[in-house]
Amino acid sequence: MKRYILKRLLFAVPTILGSMMVVFLIIRSIPGDPVAMKFGKSATVQEIEEYREEYGYNRPMAVQMVDSIIDTFRGDLGYSMANNQPVFDMILDCLPNTLELTVFGVLLAIVLGVTSGIFAALYRGSIFDMMILSLNTLLMSMPSFFLGLVLIIVFGVQLKLIPVIGLNLAPEQHFAGLIGPVITVGLGSAASIARTTRTSMLKILGNDFIKVCKSKGIAKSAIIIKHALRNALTPIITVVGGTFAAYLGGAVVTETVFARPGIGKLLVDAINARDYTVIQGTAVFLAVFMILVILVTDILYGIFDPRIRVQDS
């Protein structure tokens, strides 16, 4: 197992390197001069050229890319052009908000998705099963920004049960400000988890060992949880791990709609300001985090399913 983890980490290096190169080239193809945007219309040509000279923006593109990659592997993500702050510190300031949203959202999705998927499998073909499938289809086809806006209008504006925005909330309103974003993240993810759980449970419930458990008089709850669900966990873990990784780096829409100061909003603001160092630093940070999440997901396969053995060779 240790050798497997080491190999996966080594394979992650070219992935991170490739993502850095792609992000570097893409963000510099965006129209607009970031240095000119930083100084505004009142800046002189001399001030702009001096800034480019000082921070190396007048050097050839290839040289800038190599220097940026070397600095990143040294742990230096650079300084924000817009705020003159270390990019790594800015990411760390926003990370708790994004992690909080992602963890609570995925937990809600697991509870709703696994529970509804199990019941749909147990009552296959019933009205209850059809209702769950229809609701899942609706939630999966509904954009997250639309669901977020609906929650804001209904529960924020009309009923005044949740804050409309997540910025500058009082400490006692902190968890109230989480309700809208967490529901937005959780409901969309619960639909895919429910469908996966239902499909996986149906395959397991039709196996002979489940019939043997029933013939031995084992309680139905024990058969479902201890025997069926445990053997059906592998595809569920895959979906949950992918969902966690996706929302960790992809909660951009949710954080923007609810104005939460997370990594997603930081990335959007950096793109609008053409802040190259923040865009690239955030993208690399999220790539590393996603690789670690996927690695943990692979390790969990062997923990929950003893049939899976990771080969060291």
Side-chain angles (χ1 to χ4, degrees), residues 92-195:
L92 290 183
D93 289 339
C94 298
L95 182 60
N97 292 324
T98 299
L99 277 178
E100 185 179 47
L101 171 60
T102 303
V103 169
F104 283 112
V106 172
L107 285 177
L108 177 63
I110 292 173
V111 173
L112 295 178
V114 173
T115 303
S116 60
I118 290 174
F119 277 102
L122 292 176
Y123 300 99
R124 178 183 182 182
S126 65
I127 297 178
F128 183 76
D129 182 24
M130 297 301 295
M131 289 175 59
I132 291 178
L133 290 177
S134 300
L135 181 60
N136 288 340
T137 302
L138 176 63
L139 290 174
M140 292 179 68
S141 61
M142 185 181 299
S144 58
F145 76 87
F146 178 78
L147 179 58
L149 290 175
V150 170
L151 292 174
I152 290 175
I153 294 173
V154 175
F155 295 98
V157 178
Q158 300 294 332
L159 301 178
K160 301 185 183 304
L161 296 177
I162 62 174
V164 176
I165 60 175
L167 288 172
N168 302 321
L169 292 176
E172 62 271 13
Q173 291 183 303
H174 178 75
F175 288 103
L178 268 175
I179 295 176
V182 166
I183 292 177
T184 302
V185 171
L187 287 182
S189 304
S192 59
I193 293 176
R195 293 179 71 91

Side-chain angles (χ1 to χ4, degrees), residues 31-262:
D33 187 348
V35 179
M37 292 179 63
K38 171 182 174 62
F39 285 95
K41 297 181 179 179
S42 60
T44 63
V45 176
Q46 183 179 357
E47 289 176 336
I48 295 176
E49 291 302 324
E50 288 178 352
Y51 186 89
R52 287 199 177 102
E53 177 70 26
E54 181 179 359
Y55 290 94
Y57 288 103
N58 58 348
R59 292 176 298 175
M61 191 75 69
V63 176
Q64 293 185 46
M65 179 188 294
V66 172
D67 289 344
S68 176
I69 292 174
I70 293 175
D71 290 340
T72 300
F73 276 99
R74 288 175 178 172
D76 182 12
L77 299 181
Y79 280 77
S80 168
M81 296 174 60
N83 301 317
N84 293 322
Q85 297 179 5
V87 174
F88 191 72
D89 292 345
M90 295 175 65
I91 294 174
L92 290 183
D93 289 339
C94 298
L95 182 60
N97 292 324
T98 299
L99 277 178
E100 185 179 47
L101 171 60
T102 303
V103 169
F104 283 112
V106 172
L107 285 177
L108 177 63
I110 292 173
V111 173
L112 295 178
V114 173
T115 303
S116 60
I118 290 174
F119 277 102
L122 292 176
Y123 300 99
R124 178 183 182 182
S126 65
I127 297 178
F128 183 76
D129 182 24
M130 297 301 295
M131 289 175 59
I132 291 178
L133 290 177
S134 300
L135 181 60
N136 288 340
T137 302
L138 176 63
L139 290 174
M140 292 179 68
S141 61
M142 185 181 299
S144 58
F145 76 87
F146 178 78
L147 179 58
L149 290 175
V150 170
L151 292 174
I152 290 175
I153 294 173
V154 175
F155 295 98
V157 178
Q158 300 294 332
L159 301 178
K160 301 185 183 304
L161 296 177
I162 62 174
V164 176
I165 60 175
L167 288 172
N168 302 321
L169 292 176
E172 62 271 13
Q173 291 183 303
H174 178 75
F175 288 103
L178 268 175
I179 295 176
V182 166
I183 292 177
T184 302
V185 171
L187 287 182
S189 304
S192 59
I193 293 176
R195 293 179 71 91
T196 303
T197 303
R198 178 183 181 275
T199 303
S200 185
M201 286 291 292
L202 286 175
K203 292 180 180 179
I204 299 300
L205 290 174
N207 288 343
D208 292 336
F209 76 90
I210 297 294
K211 299 177 182 178
V212 173
C213 291
K214 292 179 180 179
S215 65
K216 290 183 176 181
I218 300 176
K220 186 176 182 180
S221 58
I223 294 176
I224 295 172
I225 297 175
K226 185 177 179 180
H227 299 281
L229 182 59
R230 178 165 184 173
N231 285 277
L233 274 179
T234 301
I236 300 174
I237 292 174
T238 302
V239 175
V240 171
T243 300
F244 187 87
Y247 276 114
L248 187 63
V252 177
V253 175
T254 304
E255 290 181 346
T256 303
V257 169
F258 289 92
R260 283 183 57 84

